[in-house]
Structure formats: structure tokens, C-alpha cells
Amino acid sequence: MDLLPDLWRHEYWLPPGITWRDMEQMQECPRPRDLLFTLPLALGFIVLRLVFDRVVAPPLGRYVGLRNRLRMAVAPSTKLESFYTQQNRQPSQSDIISLMAQCDKTQRQIETWFRHRRNQDRPSYTKRFCEKSWFWDQRECWTGYPQQPIERAHFWYYQLELGFYLSLLLCVSVDVKRKDFKEQVIHHIATIFLLGFSYCSNYVRIGTLVMLLHDSSDFLLESAKMFNYGTGWRKTCDTLFVIFAAVFLVTRLVVFPSKIIHTTLVLSMEVFEPFAGYYFFNILLMVLQALHVFWAVLILRMANKFLFLGKLDKDERSDEESELEEEEDDKGEGEEKEEEGECCWERSKDALNSKLKMLSKSFVLKNLTNHRAAIVSKMRKAR
């Protein structure tokens, strides 16, 4: 923050009455300098992408699923269960000695029982994700704002997402350019600013919801594109596209404006007064929503073709030059086939003429030979 101090004035980034010093006094507070870590992450994503494209993707033929860990079942014990639920989940040494006398068990057996019992109460990966109160009640996104501690999982989620989008922006010049090339660049820039600002202003909770909403459909699109380029996966590709279209339209056109934008635009005003960052953040969300509408139109076009034609011929985002090149390639292939057919006919015609000439010569020669034999026969009889 020592660089460009005017840019980092707390009036721009934080609600009225809150300064950067107040934020630094809080433990596990998101700090702007943490975002510098995303630069090497972006380069790492680029390297990872190259390795994936050249090494992992070609032999990819199976999928990996997330499974919850198996947990040991505990032996039923009324006294131990009563102590666990009513007194303490982690008994002290004196408690263990008392339980040994009551249950006629060794210290190791009691410690093992409590360890397995605690494992049973641990939430699964899915439950851990869904138990966040602010995931279901968006008002909780602003409880205690801006002095909200950031969890390590959210810290790494931000770092990885921001590094990923930086890598996309750095690689955009070498990627295939489509009709939505400009929109893609705008999307990447808006997302990077959105993630960076939300982290610095501790909009981490609402920022996490924005990332989850986008990630819920993006992987379906990439999977559909992967199967689209393969052979014999047409039904899989079409199925994934239908699922992607439904998820995209619901999350981007319904959930995003009604939940996310409403939360940042309206519900946040219950906690603090508007400041510069409030307007900046909501403008970026509006930009993303406009891009959502643009891509929704393209998806609906593809869905319309899918419903009436029964298949997906091409990506609606393909640019006109690519389409012309494909048409020229198809036309060129047709002309080549016609030329090959004409050449084959000419060769067949020449071979047929050659055979006819040989037959005619043989027929004439045979007639001459027969005529000569007849003349010789007549001359012999005349003598």
C-alpha cells in the first residue's frame, strides 16, 4: 500500500468508519498483498495446461469421482454414549479412568471408541460445503462485515481462481479466436478485478458464492466440448450440452441476479452505507450479467437447432472466417473427389479403347487369315 497511496485510501475500499488499521488488527484478515501470490500461480496454471494438453488429455479415458472416507463403526455402549453426548466429546485423563471402572474397558479401548465416535460426527465433504450459513441465507454474508475472518479454504479458493483467470488472460492471444473473443476478454478482465477487489475489501463470502455459481456450469461445457471432438460420443456430448444449458440458464439468468446482485445491491445496505467500492463491485456484477445474457442467446440458438435438427452441428461461437474456411474445405474436398472421379473415368475409358482396338485388330487379323486359307484351298482344288 506504500505504492500509490491515493489508490489505497480506505474510503474507496471499505465502508464508512472502517480503516485499514482496523482490518489489520483482526486475525486472519485478507490483505491486498496476498494477491501477489496469484502471479506465480497463473504461470503455474499455464504450465499445467500445457502438460495436460500434451500428456494427460490424449490418453484420458476414464473419470475420477469424489468419495467420502470410510469410517469405522463404534460398538454400542450406553454409558460412553451418554458421556459423549451430555458431558464431553474429548474426555480428560481422569474421565477416562472413571469410565474404565464403569464400563470395564481398557484405556486404549475407551480412547479408540471416542476417536471413532468423533469421526462419525464429522461432516462429509458435501456436508462441509453446504453447512455454511451464508450459503443459504445471504444476509449472513454481511454479519460482522467487514471484520470477518477468512478461512484457509476460501483463501486458497481465491488464489487458485484468480491465478486461473490470469492464466486465461495471458493465453488469450494464442487461443482460437471466436465470435465472442471480445466478450471473453471483457469477462476475464471483469472477473480479475472482481476477485481482486472483493478480496481486498473482504467481500470474500459473496465472492465465494459468485465463483461457485460460475464453476457449477463451466465444467459441463468443457466436458461437452471434449466429447464433441471425439468419435462415437455424440449422445454423450448432446446429453452434457442439455444439462449445461439448463444449469447455465438457471444459475446465470435466475439465481445470479435474484440472489447475488440483490444481496450486494440491497441487503448490504442493511449493514453499511454506500461507498466507492460498493458501486464499483456492483458495476462489475452488472457487466458479468450482461455477458450472461449474451451467452444465453448463443446457447438458446444452439438449443433451438438441437431440438429441430436433433444434433449439434457446430459451436455458435465459431467466427465467420472459420465457417467460410470450413465451407471452402468442404467445397475443395468435393472438387477433389470430382476430379478423382473424372480421372478414374478417363483411365477406364482409355483402357476400354485399348482393349477394343486390340479386339478389332485380332478380329481383322483372324478374318484375313481365314480369307487367305479359303483362297489357298480354292487354288488347290482348281489344280
Side-chain angles (χ1 to χ4, degrees), residues 11 22 43 59 86 88 103 120 124 138 141 174 217 248 279 294 306 322 340 376:
E11 293 89 350
D22 298 330
L43 297 178
Q86 298 177 10
N88 196 347
C103 302
Q120 283 189 346
S124 63
Q138 282 71 49
C141 290
V174 297
S217 61
F248 183 93
Y279 297 106
F294 171 79
F306 176 75
S322 299
E340 290 178 359
V376 170

Side-chain angles (χ1 to χ4, degrees), residues 2 55 62 71 92 119 143 192 228 248 272 315 331 364:
D2 295 335
V55 179
R62 56 185 179 271
R71 295 171 181 175
S92 63
N119 287 336
T143 301
I192 291 170
N228 182 48
F248 183 93
F272 56 82
D315 191 344
K331 185 178 180 180
V364 171

Side-chain angles (χ1 to χ4, degrees), residues 242-262:
V242 172
I243 298 174
F244 159 74
V247 174
F248 183 93
L249 295 175
V250 171
T251 56
R252 308 294 179 89
L253 300 186
V254 179
V255 179
F256 189 81
S258 64
K259 296 294 184 180
I260 304 299
I261 295 181
H262 180 262

Side-chain angles (χ1 to χ4, degrees), residues 112 136 144 234 323:
T112 303
W136 304 108
R234 173 55 55 187
E323 294 174 4

